[in-house]
Amino acid sequence: QKEVEQNSGPLSVPEGAIASLNCTYSDRGSQSFFWYRQYSGKSPELIMFIYSNGDKEDGRFTAQLNKASQYVSLLIRDSQPSDSATYLCAVSHGGGFKTIFGAGTRLFVKA
Amino acid sequence: EAQVTQNPRYLITVTGKKLTVTCSQNMNHEYMSWYRQDPGLGLRQIYYSMNVEVTDKGDVPEGYKVSRKEKRNFPLILESPSPNQTSLYFCASTPLAGKTDTQYFGPGTRLTVL
């Protein structure tokens, strides 16, 4: 079982819709959770991080964390074609020294 | 401009020929890390460094070496590259070890080992 799992996609949504990206992790000791966006041929860019159970909102992005279910998600409201990218879920163990990434979900927003 | 730089950006080499990929950051960050990215596998951590002269293995350290003699530099060394090390490599840095909520990535180095 992979430590961090994501559906590889592609996930296709129409412009203006809500895109929902999901991630599960296996280590219950994980304490920090991140979402990165990566455009083709580019380096990952951090868009959200969350440490506590519940929701965290930043503009059109909402990260949701449920430690009991070992589940973290990212919602993108009012999706735009410029949101088309691969979204990487990452998890850090206590101390944040080692970071485990999922393989990523490709999102395609249709104009 | 705050940034992480990597050199070279592209490299084609042959099996067994030692190479070094440099990584430098100008933000005085304590924590630096190397990752490789392969299709379907995502980013996998190779080595990380919490500060000068402090390094530790990530998940896939075999075949790689690192050093951290200065805070700004964290080179990745492949003593005897093999074709299975063909990959896209990213260096990253963070202001404080244990606080990865502001991790900055370099532009990547695409390595091909023939």
Side-chain angles (χ1 to χ4, degrees):
Chain A
Q1 180 190 6
K2 291 183 180 178
E3 293 191 54
V4 178
E5 295 210 48
Q6 298 180 252
N7 187 322
S8 63
L11 173 66
S12 183
V13 300
E15 184 175 359
I18 296 175
S20 178
L21 304 160
N22 304 314
C23 173
T24 59
Y25 60 95
S26 60
D27 186 349
R28 286 194 173 274
S30 301
Q31 296 184 359
S32 306
F33 306 87
F34 309 90
W35 283 100
Y36 287 83
R37 177 176 61 201
Q38 186 176 26
Y39 293 111
S40 181
K42 301 296 185 183
S43 53
E45 173 193 10
L46 180 68
I47 54 174
M48 289 286 290
F49 61 89
I50 186 167
Y51 301 136
S52 305
N53 275 331
D55 295 0
K56 179 181 179 182
E57 186 174 320
D58 184 1
R60 296 186 297 113
F61 299 99
T62 298
Q64 299 174 317
L65 175 61
N66 184 326
K67 289 187 178 181
S69 301
Q70 296 175 248
Y71 176 94
V72 58
S73 65
L74 179 70
L75 301 177
I76 306 174
R77 289 182 298 282
D78 188 24
S79 295
Q80 301 297 308
S82 58
D83 294 326
S84 298
T86 296
Y87 288 80
L88 305 171
C89 173
V91 174
S92 280
H93 299 247
F97 302 132
K98 293 182 70 172
T99 304
I100 309 295
F101 281 80
T105 298
R106 287 181 57 201
L107 173 65
F108 180 60
V109 180
K110 298 177 291 184
Chain B
E1 180 189 353
Q3 59 182 351
V4 178
T5 57
Q6 294 179 227
N7 281 292
R9 295 288 313 281
Y10 302 91
L11 179 61
I12 300 175
T13 188
V14 296
T15 299
K17 185 176 182 182
K18 181 180 178 179
L19 67 93
T20 299
V21 184
T22 65
C23 173
S24 183
Q25 50 92 3
N26 63 0
M27 297 168 280
N28 201 36
H29 286 177
E30 285 187 0
Y31 179 90
M32 298 184 74
S33 186
W34 274 103
Y35 297 89
R36 60 177 290 173
Q37 186 172 33
D38 303 289
L41 296 177
L43 284 158
R44 293 180 292 168
Q45 197 167 32
I46 303 171
Y47 270 94
Y48 60 92
S49 169
M50 291 175 280
N51 213 322
V52 175
E53 302 291 3
V54 182
T55 63
D56 207 348
K57 297 177 181 178
D59 289 320
V60 288
E62 295 78 20
Y64 304 95
K65 286 175 56 177
V66 293
S67 68
R68 186 91 182 272
K69 294 184 171 57
E70 306 167 278
K71 201 170 188 178
R72 63 181 291 126
N73 296 323
F74 189 43
L76 180 68
I77 302 156
L78 285 73
E79 294 270 3
S80 183
S82 62
N84 64 13
Q85 292 178 297
T86 292
S87 187
L88 178 59
Y89 291 86
F90 289 104
C91 178
S93 74
T94 302
L96 292 173
K99 187 169 173 62
T100 50
D101 56 358
T102 48
Q103 185 161 213
Y104 296 83
F105 279 82
T109 295
R110 187 167 293 281
L111 171 67
T112 301
V113 183
L114 302 174

